[in-house]
């Protein structure tokens, strides 16, 4: 539960926009926060038609439309989820970088500042804020995960994905952002070869 109503509305509004829940404008958010129906983003997923119909200007059609919007947002890609948490300095681009690097939510939750700083676009301040932000939002994340499916990041295999055909890669030592096997899978998914040893053919 957050502090003042204005802060709650800001957090709820950011989450709704990030995951694509439409129809909850500022007036409705103010109304629901005041009635303590919404105090945290996880509360969106507990709303019922009966609760919504208790408000003036709320008809069955609108109530069902709002609940349909919430239902559509029960499956959320990892990058979208990380952005939706509203951690300072974690915008869409940084969230995408994190999702690619850590693949699933647990990987992102377990990441430390050193692992984060090894990634592109992420300096010490953003790394620290992300680690702190994840820790501060632990109970919110747990509440959301109990209600929604956070999808692991999928490597694109479409024709639009950057192709690595004709290139071979060798991964040695310990990788910062992922396991060697995962890195090899990404290379193979994009048409490249994951070599097992050093040779002249290595790219």
């Amino acid at each position: 539960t957050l502090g003042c109503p204005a802060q709650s509305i800001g957090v709820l509004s950011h989450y709704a926009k990030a995951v694509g829940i439409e129809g909850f404008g500022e007036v409705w958010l103010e109304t629901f926060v005041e009635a303590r129906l919404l105090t945290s983003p996880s509360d969106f997923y507990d709303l019922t038609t009966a609760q919504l119909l208790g408000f003036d200007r709320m008809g069955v059609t609108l109530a069902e439309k709002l609940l349909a919007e919430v239902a559509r947002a029960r499956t959320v890609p990892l990058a979208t989820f990380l952005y939706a948490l509203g951690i300072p300095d974690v915008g869409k681009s940084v969230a995408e970088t994190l999702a690619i690097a850590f693949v699933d939510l647990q990987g992102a939750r377990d990441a430390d500042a050193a692992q984060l700083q090894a990634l592109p676009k992420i300096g010490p301040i953003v790394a620290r804020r992300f680690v702190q932000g994840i820790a501060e939002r632990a109970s919110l994340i747990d509440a959301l995960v109990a209600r929604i499916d956070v999808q692991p990041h999928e490597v694109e295999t479409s024709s639009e994905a950057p192709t690595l055909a004709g290139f071979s890669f060798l991964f040695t030592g310990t990788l910062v952002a992922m396991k060697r096997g995962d890195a090899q899978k990404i290379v193979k998914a994009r048409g490249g070869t994951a070599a097992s040893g050093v040779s002249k053919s290595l790219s």
Side-chain angles (χ1 to χ4, degrees):
T1 305
L2 297 146
C4 66
Q7 190 186 358
S8 293
I9 290 163
V11 171
L12 291 162
S13 177
H14 173 77
Y15 182 85
K17 283 176 186 162
V19 301
I21 297 174
E22 294 180 6
F24 289 84
E26 198 161 321
V27 175
W28 279 122
L29 285 179
E30 277 177 17
T31 304
F32 298 149
V33 167
E34 204 174 293
R36 301 203 58 72
L37 198 60
L38 291 180
T39 58
S40 151
S42 61
D43 294 334
F44 279 117
Y45 301 101
D46 294 337
L47 293 173
T48 66
T49 308
Q51 286 174 326
L52 295 178
L53 290 175
F55 295 90
D56 291 341
R57 297 178 294 108
M58 178 69 73
V60 175
T61 306
L62 179 55
E64 287 178 351
K65 181 175 175 288
L66 292 177
L67 292 181
E69 287 288 328
V70 171
R72 280 197 311 122
R74 282 190 184 272
T75 303
V76 181
L78 178 60
T80 303
F81 183 80
L82 295 176
Y83 169 61
L85 291 174
I87 297 170
D89 289 333
V90 179
K92 288 180 181 176
S93 175
V94 169
E96 187 71 27
T97 298
L98 294 169
I100 292 167
F102 298 111
V103 184
D104 61 28
L105 178 57
Q106 196 55 52
R109 292 185 84 169
D110 292 342
D112 60 30
Q115 287 176 299
L116 291 159
Q117 283 183 63
L119 301 175
K121 307 179 198 162
I122 296 178
I125 293 171
V126 176
R128 191 170 65 245
R129 285 194 169 158
F130 181 75
V131 172
Q132 190 180 343
I134 286 288
E136 287 170 353
R137 290 160 178 76
S139 58
L140 168 61
I141 294 170
D142 290 342
L144 284 167
V145 169
R147 292 161 174 81
I148 68 174
D149 175 26
V150 180
Q151 290 185 310
H153 180 78
E154 286 183 16
V155 178
E156 292 173 33
T157 52
S158 70
S159 57
E160 293 170 21
T163 179
L164 300 176
F167 292 93
S168 62
F169 297 81
L170 175 64
F171 297 97
T172 61
T174 305
L175 305 188
V176 174
M178 63 185 80
K179 292 176 183 157
R180 263 192 290 179
D182 292 335
Q184 289 165 344
K185 279 181 198 164
I186 290 172
V187 167
K188 287 174 184 170
R190 293 193 171 175
T193 306
S196 54
V198 179
S199 71
K200 285 182 183 176
S201 65
L202 270 183
S203 307

